[in-house]
Amino acid sequence: MSTELPVPIEFRLPEGWWAASPDQVGASDVAFVALYSEPDDGFTANITIDGEYRSDAMALHEIADESVQRMRELAEEVTVNGRSEVDSADAPGLTQTLTFTTVAGGTRRPLVQAQVYLSMLDADDPGKRAVVRLALTAAAAQYENVLGDFQEFVRTVRPET
C-alpha cells in the first residue's frame, strides 16, 4: 500500500507527465508517482513524492545523506554529483543530484536522480516538522531533456490551502 504524505500539498504536473498508482508501478514506499510519456530505451522517467514527520533536529543535509545510504543498498556506483541548500526561514530546502547504476527491466542502466527536500514546520506544533522529498529519476541519456519539466513541477509545489 502506498504511503501518505505527512502534510497535504498541491502541485501541477507539466505536459507530457501522467499520474500512476504507486502500488501498480512497484513504488509502494511513496505517496505519488508521475510517469513521463516517452520512455528512453525501455526506462520511463518518473517523479515521486514521499515524506515523513521528523521529531529530530537532523539537518536536511543529514537527511539527504540517509537517502544516499539507502540508495547504496539498492544500486551500484552511487555518486553525489551536487548538493545545494536553500536557506529560507519559511521553507528551508535542499537539492542534490545522484548518479547510479541499477538493473531495471532486466537491463543494467545508468540513471540520474534529482532530489529536492522541503522542510515544513507544523503551524500548531513548531517542534514537529514534515520533510517532503520530490525526486526525478531518469535514464542518463534522457535526464537533461526532462530536468526542465521537473524544475517546473517543483516550482508549483506548495502546502495545500
Side-chain angles (χ1 to χ4, degrees):
M1 186 171 84
S2 60
T3 63
E4 290 187 25
L5 290 176
V7 293
I9 61 171
E10 57 188 28
F11 52 85
R12 198 172 57 253
L13 285 174
E15 218 174 290
W17 293 83
W18 52 277
S21 164
D23 292 328
Q24 289 179 340
V25 297
S28 59
D29 58 338
V30 301
F32 178 82
V33 175
L35 301 174
Y36 190 54
S37 58
E38 299 175 31
D40 180 74
D41 194 26
F43 184 82
T44 303
N46 59 80
I47 294 172
T48 59
I49 305 173
D50 65 270
E52 62 185 339
Y53 273 113
R54 300 291 297 229
S55 59
D56 57 26
M58 190 175 276
L60 286 177
H61 72 272
E62 293 172 305
I63 295 170
D65 286 341
E66 287 180 346
S67 289
V68 172
Q69 279 309 114
R70 280 192 304 277
M71 183 68 78
R72 287 190 171 129
E73 294 169 8
L74 302 170
E76 305 166 12
E77 304 169 28
V78 178
T79 303
V80 178
N81 288 334
R83 183 180 280 179
S84 176
E85 289 195 51
V86 178
D87 194 19
S88 164
D90 293 336
L94 179 138
T95 63
Q96 74 177 1
T97 305
L98 309 175
T99 56
F100 57 97
T101 304
T102 193
V103 175
T107 303
R108 193 166 185 262
R109 301 177 187 280
L111 301 177
V112 180
Q113 186 173 84
Q115 299 176 338
V116 175
Y117 294 83
L118 304 172
S119 181
M120 301 174 195
L121 292 179
D122 187 307
D124 298 324
D125 181 0
K128 221 172 151 183
R129 76 174 165 150
V131 176
V132 174
R133 180 178 60 172
L134 317 169
L136 164 70
T137 307
Q142 190 178 39
Y143 178 73
E144 291 298 325
N145 295 334
V146 295
L147 180 59
D149 287 353
F150 181 63
Q151 291 167 333
E152 177 185 327
F153 162 76
V154 170
R155 284 191 290 272
T156 71
V157 175
R158 56 192 31 74
E160 192 173 77
T161 55

